[in-house]
Amino acid sequence: MDKIVALCKRRGFIFQSSEIYGGLNGFWDYGPLGVELKRNVKEAWWRDMITNHDEFSTPSGAPSAFSMVGLDCSLIMHPQVWKCSGHYDLFHDMMSDCRETKRRFRFDQIRGRWVHVEKDARGIHRYFMMTDADTPEAGLEDTVVRACKFFDVRRKDAEAAFTWQSPGLVGITPKDNLAHVVTPGATQPGTMTEPREFNLMFKTTIGALGGAEDAAFLRPETAQGMFVNFKNVLDTQRVRVPFGIAQMGKSFRNEITPRNFTFRSREFEQMEMEFFCHPDQSRAWYQYWRDRRYQWYLSHGLGSDRLRLRDHAADELSHYSVGTADVEYAFPFCEPGEFGELEGVAHRGDFDLRSHMEGKLVRDASGCLAVETGPDGKPRHQGSGKDLVYFDDQSRERYVPHVIEPAAGADRATLAFLCEAYHEDAQPDEKGDLQPRVVLKLHPRLSPIKVAVLPLVKKDGMPELGLELYRNFKRAGIPSYFDQQAAIGKRYRRQDEIGTPWCITVDGQSLQDQTVTLRDRDSLEQVRLPVNKVIDEIAARLRG
Ligand code: GAP
């Protein structure tokens, strides 16, 4: 992971936000190459989900044909949206603070991660020390050393007494644990506060007066924009259920512990689609989107050995969800056997449309969704009161559509594609000496630059011919790059490192017979082509 982070900085993919001021935790800037890569990821998603979608054909595996439309909603929405969606009451993590070191922890990330020391042979005494959850393995060794010092036990004697308890294995209550926990950097046990709720929405104020009633939130997901515009889309577009509304854009979450590069950030981009269907067909549609979204990542280059589709257990489901499956990727920062979430595909039932009609819903004792009421018997959070029921003018049926939601993260997808693409090998230079090579084997659709035009030397008309070819690529709408500095092997390696799939070399022969060589980044194969055919060739390769 360190190598990938270093490459991202070195070649201008991703920088720390506000780096010259020391950075801002949980915020990132995409550099000149990163912005192109992420745009290509989003563009591939938008085209595959919306613009290239054909409502007159039934995609393989789908229960029927369907329509797709897009939206671009505001980042700040009416506060009532978040009350009815459940985010106002439920969108929180448990956090715990160390009173001594002032460090803050997400409780689910530290729970159970203690080193356990039996102080003496007679003693029932047990002490627990928390490891650094960010780097559990490195943290364990460090913690063991510090635990020995702290409890004044010899490492050799204590070795057998140390146990590494993974989350879920601790059989005593967090309250009991916390009294004995020494947090990293603290000098005594029991400095952890009891876990408490922390709402992840960023709060802001609308207007100049800034009273409590002017409080608003930056959206924590793009999804709600699609639900509140359901009726607008129905009334203005010629769509019938089943159909999908998609949106991509920024979301904000005040994550307690942003980490793992861009994987968990406080500002990130989502690519979400809400698919409205008949309740009787919703399970079939859920299956369809679950499988289709998994295939999307495979078809853009993620290896099947590092990608998996995991169904949530019942106790993992969100408050609204009837079923959810995650597309997950084994990022390099994951522990062996662990995966990180790329996308969740959720069957949300009729929770969202009903909540925005009737008021915030909760499950009652029988497991059914009902409007949550306050002590006065009125809805705790009032819905819009608008009629979001769908009327099928052919079957004459009125119903609240069910929703299947594939919710992806553009930053996480971009990071996964970068991680998968990163390879190191060695290639011979002009003298035949092996030179180490870093190569990003990105899918050509995602590569920031598709083709580099490289005159072999900076004389004899080669730069002029190369420049003309480069300009023709630009006119054809193919992102290209012109480079005439340094030895040709070095220039190839520069392009390999940023994932350019093809390089075109203009050499002495080019001036005589109007041919150029086309080099493939992955196979390293070189073929000679007429210069007037090379744009068509690259365009054909890009179409796959
Ligand atoms: N509307 C449902 C929803 O927002 P989610 O699982 O919370 O579901 C969807 O988010 C996707 O958004 C995740 O699978 C992930 O790719 C991305 N995402 C969520 N939180 C993120 C964060 N803090 N940093 C980067 N990406 C995040």
Side-chain angles (χ1 to χ4, degrees), residues 94-98 103-115 128-136 164-170 174 177-178 181-184 191-196 256-257 259:
M94 300 301 281
M95 67 171 183
S96 196
D97 292 308
C98 171
R103 278 185 67 177
R104 175 160 289 178
F105 303 92
R106 226 176 84 185
F107 195 67
D108 65 320
Q109 285 173 357
I110 57 169
R111 185 179 200 144
R113 295 191 155 183
W114 327 126
V115 166
F128 299 86
M129 178 174 276
M130 195 180 70
T131 66
D132 190 332
D134 291 359
T135 52
W164 169 238
Q165 299 190 327
S166 50
L169 290 184
V170 173
N177 268 340
L178 291 180
V181 167
V182 184
T183 66
T191 57
M192 288 286 275
T193 61
E194 285 305 311
R196 63 182 190 282
I256 298 171
T257 48
R259 60 189 185 143

Side-chain angles (χ1 to χ4, degrees), residues 76-80 82-83 88 202-218:
I76 295 178
M77 301 173 73
H78 195 292
Q80 205 62 21
W82 308 112
K83 293 188 173 161
Y88 188 80
F202 273 100
K203 219 173 184 176
T204 185
T205 309
I206 298 175
L209 296 177
E213 65 282 7
D214 300 319
F217 302 95
L218 300 190

Side-chain angles (χ1 to χ4, degrees), residues 90-93 106 108 264 286 308-328 338-348 363 405 412:
L90 299 169
F91 195 54
H92 52 240
D93 279 339
R106 226 176 84 185
D108 65 320
R264 189 176 303 285
Y286 170 63
R308 75 175 184 189
L309 188 58
R310 185 182 65 83
D311 289 302
H312 280 208
D315 61 356
E316 254 185 293
L317 295 177
S318 319
H319 60 286
Y320 52 75
S321 184
V322 189
T324 299
D326 284 346
V327 182
E328 298 180 331
E338 282 185 3
F339 289 73
E341 177 189 327
L342 283 180
E343 170 162 351
V345 183
H347 184 314
R348 297 175 71 120
R363 288 207 183 275
E405 177 196 70
R412 284 198 190 168

Side-chain angles (χ1 to χ4, degrees), residues 221 223 253 255 262-265 268 270 272 320 341-344 348 405 407-409 412:
E221 61 170 27
R253 297 183 187 177
E255 299 283 358
T262 56
F263 181 82
R264 189 176 303 285
S265 316
F268 54 95
Q270 290 186 305
E272 297 196 285
Y320 52 75
E341 177 189 327
L342 283 180
E343 170 162 351
R348 297 175 71 120
E405 177 196 70
R412 284 198 190 168

